[in-house]
Amino acid sequence: MGEERKRPDIAAGRLSAEAYAANFADLHPPLNRHQALVEAERCYFCHDAPCMTACPTSIDIPMFIRQIASGNPDGSAATILKQNIMGGMCARVCPTETLCEEVCVRNTAEDLPVRIGLLQRYATDHLFAGGEQIFSRAEPSGRSVAVVGGGPAGLACAHALAVAGHAVTVFDSNPKLGGLNEYGIAAYKTIEGFAQREVDYILGVGGITVECGKELGLNISLAELRDGFDAVFLGLGMGGTNDLGIEGEELEGVHDAVDYIAELRQAEDLASLPVGRRVVVIGGGMTAIDIAVQSKRLGAEDVTIVYRRGQEAMKASRYEQEVAQTSGVKIKHWAAPLRVLGDCGAVAGIEFAYTESDDEGHLKPRGDRFALEADVVFKAIGQTFLPDCLNGSGAMPALEAGRIAVDESRRSSLPDVWAGGDCVVGGQDLTVAAVEDGKIAARAIDAYLRAKAVAA
Amino acid sequence: MVDISSDFVGIKSPNPFWLASAPPTDKEYNVVRAFRAGWGGVVWKTLGEDPPIVNVNGPRYGALHGADRRLLGFNNVELITDRPLDVNLREIKQVKRDWPDRAVVVSLMVPCEEAAWQKILARVEETGADGIELNFGCPHGMSERGMGSAVGQVPEYVEMVARWCKQNTRMPVLVKLTPNITDVRHPARAAKAGGADGVSLINTINSIIGVNLDAMTPEPATDGRGTHGGYCGPAVRPIALNMVAEIARDPETQGLPISGIGGIETWRHGVEFMALGAGTVQVCTAAMAYGFRIVEDMVEGLKTWMTAKGYSRLDEVVGAAVPNVTDWQFLNLNYVVKARIDQDLCIKCGRCHIACEDTSHQAITATVNGERRYEVIDEECVGCNLCVSVCPVESCITLERMTEGVDPRTGQEIDPDYANWTTHPNNPNRAAAE
């Protein structure tokens, strides 16, 4: 008692090598063959299946499960990948509890859905283990498309266009492709370099040139790309993060969660990552959950997520909240940060105002306050699209609500520019939704290029 | 690239998966839906003479469920089509015109009089259908009227009607055989003798699916009384596979084209029938249970499997397992296997032990050093496969061949040479040593 601790208490290597390995092992271990067959037999092969409707990419779920049951896992993977080229990653990161599995009719029957995500992983893992390339390219069209951003939207678009016979160049500012799959998803959801294995499989179809280290608005411009290519797809993601806008935010130890997660994902050795003893996370979405759980698993002693509204308003699914809680993360609701407390330029704590909702649902302070001690504060209150990169000498696609405005085919206000993923209006911050955007845009771009070919 | 297109007795279809003559093929509406879903062909539900028969207005079907209400067996008392002949013929003609690449075979059942057959054959021929299938299999209702299985059970009738049909039409003739018979080779031989181009089998098996113990009626019952129906579904598949193989390996019918039917639910089941000699396969119950879309798994699964195995055409698959089907007397008695339990996969349910202990050879332990542990006692194991069959975990128990040393059960040296019952010393009728 009363022992004086170093302040701020931030240290790397808090755990043994075994503990790091165990903490960052697969969050949901894959099904073995026996488990997959037993689970596949549970599928009723529903007509007009609710799971399929709930999937943003409309994967034919009953069919791929039947194919697992009939002993054709590679055929099953083909069924998945034809609808969603990132079916492997989606099997790992999709919030299935709010998508396909939420509507499984087995919920009505016995309150236990078919574990669709794990079955999808079983099939896609089986295919990737064999390495068979199931896609082939159509005859070269002679047309070229620039895809800016090698995240889920960009890669899905690039793949579909390459399959259609177009020559695609993917530009990405990072050293590796994959976008948030590589730099954003929690580490224990995509172990053993799966993001890159999936990228390799996608590129394996051929016809896709990769240019990393190319950032729009910095060393490439939209005008150039529109000049040099027949069409452009923008899968830019969200480059900016929201600030708290409170006193003390500049103190050492206040971080953007996304930056730290990216660092964690690229770390060669988890033991090299400094982590605070007491960590406070501000936010209520997936990023908040991911940074909180990963901090805890890196050895933080106390991790608290503080969210300004109630549990039901959190963007993170109930299931993800439970993952956090069973990992030892505490979630506090109805509190908004007032100021970060400092000590010699570093974070010492953070003060909150209790909040409540008025009759119209507006948030207001309740009038009382509390403070939490903290060595590190993570901001996870949302990301923003930074449109500056679109500026340049040429025309700029129209924006709406701060993001790129697109029509149903994901076409922007510029006739030869499409966009998808988080950078467009209505972007859902989901890998699977981004893949669907890329897929839809690719279809429209292909039609556009073919019409152009006829006209020419 | 594999080619799964089929040419069966001159009838072409893009894949070997046909819908069998049954409720799913009674109407244009259903058949068009089936073709849209990808089925390679259909055998139109059996046509008869006008006036059409009537069906009961009570229940027609009954089910045998496995765990989780999975449909394992299915029973029906539905008769042949109850729609006017004209309507069916008009729809058949339209469907064939709209779907020229699909097989449209018409199932027929009229009384055993040549004139009746002549009359209907001429009308079917006008539709442009690809062939006919003689329904000598239906075991309920129609058989009471001297048709269906009543014909199929008398080889002389089978031959006679097949001959009439061959003489009165240019269309290929398939004879659909009933399994409700002692030896299916006899009607198959009769069909061949009558000139039939091929046989399809099996039709349904006489059955009572269950008994309602409150009403004391068989299931399903109409107004308190029930009758035997035709049994089908996955549960009949082993019976059908055997009958197909019997015909495929019978020297008298060898090479006779076979359309395999009976409990086919997935591509794998279809391939099993093909390996035993079926050139095409027909499906009914699985479609009735899950809808027509199951054909996608069949088509894709067949292609994937053929690619993986290096087959490029169906004729390389058809009959591939027939040479390995033999009589018991030719099985190698020097082939010795012992069960092996993979302790890593074992979930310790003990079912292998109790099955062996109570009903077989007391060759599996229940405990080892006081712990629940299941190990094979080689001194007792006869390699019967019972433990493998009852184990809930696939591949947990396997049979491994002993290729050398002494079989600890018999104390005899393993003999690497093949030797069967025909020369065994215990066989009183053994062949004299050469």
Side-chain angles (χ1 to χ4, degrees):
Chain A
M1 288 303 190
E3 182 193 344
E4 201 55 37
R5 281 186 189 268
K6 161 168 102 78
R7 227 174 229 288
D9 189 345
I10 301 173
R14 289 185 185 270
L15 305 174
S16 67
E18 296 74 39
Y20 281 116
N23 288 353
F24 287 85
D26 228 324
L27 182 63
H28 303 293
L31 300 178
N32 63 32
R33 182 165 178 274
H34 173 72
Q35 291 167 322
L37 290 175
V38 170
E39 195 61 24
E41 290 288 339
R42 294 186 65 234
C43 175
Y44 285 134
F45 199 68
C46 298
H47 164 67
D48 192 19
C51 53
M52 194 172 159
T53 313
C55 175
T57 55
S58 309
I59 292 174
D60 191 343
I61 293 165
M63 188 60 71
F64 93 66
I65 294 179
R66 188 171 182 86
Q67 289 174 298
I68 291 173
S70 79
N72 183 15
D74 287 348
S76 172
T79 299
I80 295 162
L81 298 184
K82 277 175 198 161
Q83 290 300 323
N84 180 340
I85 187 62
M86 291 201 160
M89 182 59 82
C90 289
R92 291 162 165 78
V93 304
C94 260
T96 52
E97 64 280 359
T98 59
L99 295 170
C100 52
E101 291 179 20
E102 182 179 47
V103 296
C104 176
V105 302
R106 284 271 185 182
N107 285 312
T108 316
E110 63 249 16
D111 207 16
L112 191 68
V114 175
R115 289 182 291 172
I116 298 166
L118 283 171
L119 286 171
Q120 182 168 318
R121 175 162 174 192
Y122 174 79
T124 49
D125 278 359
H126 193 277
L127 178 74
F128 288 157
E132 193 205 342
Q133 182 58 251
I134 58 167
F135 293 94
S136 56
R137 297 188 66 207
E139 288 297 302
S141 66
R143 298 285 170 182
S144 64
V145 183
V147 170
V148 188
L155 286 177
C157 185
H159 184 264
L161 289 169
V163 167
H166 308 300
V168 183
T169 304
V170 177
F171 299 92
D172 198 288
S173 59
N174 282 311
K176 292 187 208 170
L177 293 187
L180 289 177
N181 289 355
E182 176 59 37
Y183 295 95
I185 303 289
Y188 41 73
K189 289 181 185 169
T190 168
I191 64 160
E192 291 166 358
F194 181 77
Q196 286 311 301
R197 280 197 284 142
E198 186 169 68
V199 168
D200 291 345
Y201 191 85
I202 290 169
L203 299 180
V205 73
I208 304 174
T209 307
V210 177
E211 296 218 23
C212 281
K214 292 291 172 69
E215 191 170 343
L216 194 66
L218 195 70
N219 46 16
I220 45 171
S221 75
L222 184 56
E224 268 168 41
L225 295 176
R226 293 182 67 197
D227 267 351
F229 294 86
D230 295 306
V232 177
F233 176 82
L234 303 173
L236 304 171
M238 301 215 273
T241 50
N242 292 327
D243 285 331
L244 297 170
I246 57 172
E247 180 192 333
E249 195 166 352
E250 73 292 345
L251 289 167
E252 195 172 315
V254 180
H255 302 292
D256 275 328
V258 289
D259 295 341
Y260 189 85
I261 291 173
E263 195 184 329
L264 187 153
R265 283 294 307 277
Q266 300 306 310
E268 294 279 322
D269 178 11
L270 292 169
S272 69
L273 290 170
V275 61
R277 185 166 69 88
R278 292 155 310 176
V279 175
V280 173
V281 178
I282 313 296
M286 285 301 304
T287 306
I289 297 285
D290 283 355
I291 190 63
V293 173
Q294 290 182 113
S295 295
K296 187 73 189 158
R297 290 181 181 212
L298 284 171
E301 190 178 313
D302 293 307
V303 180
T304 309
I305 293 174
V306 183
Y307 179 56
R308 62 199 174 127
R309 288 183 180 270
Q311 189 264 323
E312 65 291 340
M314 289 180 78
K315 269 185 79 185
S317 71
R318 186 72 178 253
Y319 173 80
E320 291 288 344
Q321 295 172 42
E322 281 169 13
V323 167
Q325 286 164 328
T326 52
S327 298
V329 171
K330 185 175 175 185
I331 304 179
K332 279 181 79 76
H333 300 109
W334 298 110
L338 281 178
R339 60 189 176 111
V340 184
L341 308 169
D343 183 11
C344 306
V347 170
I350 178 163
E351 190 180 10
F352 293 90
Y354 283 106
T355 55
E356 61 186 6
S357 170
D358 66 19
D359 293 342
E360 273 108 51
H362 298 303
L363 204 62
K364 56 171 192 169
R366 200 171 69 182
D368 45 355
R369 298 178 175 194
F370 69 97
L372 294 174
E373 293 191 338
D375 302 297
V376 167
V377 170
F378 282 116
K379 299 182 281 183
I381 54 168
Q383 292 162 258
T384 48
F385 174 59
L386 302 177
D388 293 354
C389 62
L390 299 171
N391 284 335
S393 52
M396 186 174 152
L399 302 183
E400 188 186 324
R403 295 198 262 182
I404 300 172
V406 289
D407 66 12
E408 273 187 3
S409 75
R410 309 300 187 264
R411 192 183 214 165
S412 75
S413 60
L414 303 177
D416 57 343
V417 178
W418 280 257
D422 291 342
C423 70
V424 301
V425 180
Q428 290 178 59
D429 190 22
L430 281 178
T431 300
V432 63
V435 170
E436 182 67 2
D437 281 352
K439 199 172 99 184
I440 290 171
R443 214 177 287 148
I445 293 169
D446 180 54
Y448 165 77
L449 294 177
R450 288 187 191 287
K452 216 170 140 176
V454 172
Chain B
M1 198 60 197
V2 296
D3 177 8
I4 62 164
S5 67
S6 163
D7 183 344
F8 181 73
V9 301
I11 303 172
K12 293 185 172 56
S13 55
N15 65 59
F17 300 106
W18 295 2
L19 283 173
S21 168
T25 60
D26 191 24
K27 295 196 305 288
E28 179 180 3
Y29 180 85
N30 304 73
V31 171
V32 167
R33 283 181 71 88
F35 284 164
R36 281 204 194 109
W39 290 89
V42 299
V43 182
W44 203 278
K45 185 169 165 82
T46 308
L47 312 186
E49 287 183 324
D50 279 336
I53 58 88
V54 296
N55 270 302
V56 292
N57 295 299
R60 301 176 190 188
Y61 307 122
L64 180 76
H65 290 119
D68 202 18
R69 273 184 75 81
R70 186 162 281 268
L71 192 68
L72 298 184
F74 199 54
N75 173 79
N76 85 89
V77 297
E78 183 170 298
L79 303 183
I80 63 174
T81 185
D82 54 13
R83 305 188 316 146
L85 184 59
D86 268 348
V87 172
N88 276 307
L89 292 171
R90 194 166 61 235
E91 291 185 4
I92 291 166
K93 190 170 187 173
Q94 188 64 43
V95 167
K96 185 61 206 178
R97 187 179 298 160
D98 294 345
W99 297 86
D101 71 320
R102 310 301 170 93
V104 177
V105 175
V106 179
S107 174
L108 298 175
M109 184 196 288
V110 293
C112 268
E113 298 152 12
E114 188 170 8
W117 285 94
Q118 278 174 332
K119 198 169 148 197
I120 199 163
L121 285 171
R123 301 203 57 193
V124 172
E125 219 167 78
E126 284 170 16
T127 64
D130 297 299
I132 55 167
E133 184 182 84
L134 314 186
N135 181 342
F136 296 161
C138 205
H140 48 268
M142 304 311 292
S143 53
E144 297 167 16
R145 305 172 202 180
M147 291 182 272
S149 65
V151 178
Q153 285 163 343
V154 183
E156 291 78 5
Y157 292 168
V158 171
E159 182 177 341
M160 177 179 75
V161 181
R163 182 168 290 123
W164 288 342
C165 291
K166 279 307 288 181
Q167 286 168 349
N168 286 292
T169 180
R170 54 168 177 74
M171 294 182 287
V173 175
L174 301 175
V175 172
K176 187 162 177 179
L177 301 176
T178 175
N180 299 301
I181 191 162
T182 314
D183 186 342
V184 79
R185 290 174 302 179
H186 292 285
R189 290 168 186 163
K192 191 182 178 192
D197 297 276
V199 290
S200 39
L201 68 157
I202 60 175
N203 205 308
T204 55
I205 304 173
N206 275 333
S207 62
I208 288 176
I209 202 79
V211 177
N212 183 322
L213 294 181
D214 296 320
M216 279 299 166
T217 57
E219 299 274 24
T222 288
D223 194 22
R225 300 177 87 184
T227 184
H228 68 81
Y231 194 45
C232 53
V236 311
R237 193 165 63 239
I239 298 166
L241 284 171
N242 174 58
M243 289 188 166
V244 165
E246 286 295 286
I247 294 169
R249 72 189 188 94
D250 178 11
E252 291 189 40
T253 50
Q254 217 164 35
L256 180 67
I258 300 170
S259 191
I261 312 167
I264 295 166
E265 292 200 302
T266 69
W267 65 270
R268 176 180 295 275
H269 307 144
V271 175
E272 287 177 9
F273 274 90
M274 287 188 250
L276 289 177
T280 59
V281 293
Q282 298 182 29
V283 176
C284 169
T285 312
M288 292 183 75
Y290 304 107
F292 289 147
R293 252 164 44 86
I294 57 169
V295 74
E296 288 176 43
D297 162 63
M298 295 177 174
V299 165
E300 292 306 315
L302 174 61
K303 284 185 195 165
T304 306
W305 176 81
M306 285 175 66
T307 306
K309 294 289 177 185
Y311 294 108
S312 53
R313 293 187 324 276
L314 290 182
D315 55 14
E316 298 162 358
V317 177
V318 173
V322 174
N324 298 326
V325 184
T326 186
D327 295 340
W328 190 97
Q329 61 180 332
F330 299 121
L331 298 178
N332 183 4
L333 294 174
N334 285 339
Y335 181 84
V336 176
V337 294
K338 300 287 177 191
R340 289 286 170 265
I341 301 174
D342 184 331
Q343 297 297 332
D344 292 334
L345 292 177
C346 176
I347 58 174
K348 300 199 168 22
C349 66
R351 287 179 58 185
C352 57
H353 163 79
I354 203 61
C356 192
E357 192 71 15
D358 277 355
T359 69
S360 289
H361 301 90
Q362 297 75 49
I364 298 179
T365 63
T367 53
V368 175
N369 298 329
E371 302 271 329
R372 279 165 65 90
R373 188 177 168 90
Y374 305 95
E375 288 180 0
V376 175
I377 304 161
D378 285 354
E379 288 72 13
E380 305 297 336
C381 178
V382 303
C384 71
N385 211 35
L386 175 62
C387 52
V388 176
S389 306
V390 302
C391 178
V393 180
E394 194 182 333
S395 307
C396 172
I397 311 182
T398 49
L399 295 182
E400 283 180 20
R401 183 178 187 179
M402 288 189 70
T403 52
E404 55 183 15
V406 173
D407 179 351
R409 183 176 70 87
T410 59
Q412 292 187 356
E413 192 83 23
I414 299 293
D415 185 344
D417 294 331
Y418 166 87
N420 63 44
W421 174 245
T422 61
T423 55
H424 196 277
N426 290 19
N427 180 356
N429 301 317
R430 69 182 174 276
E434 298 279 317

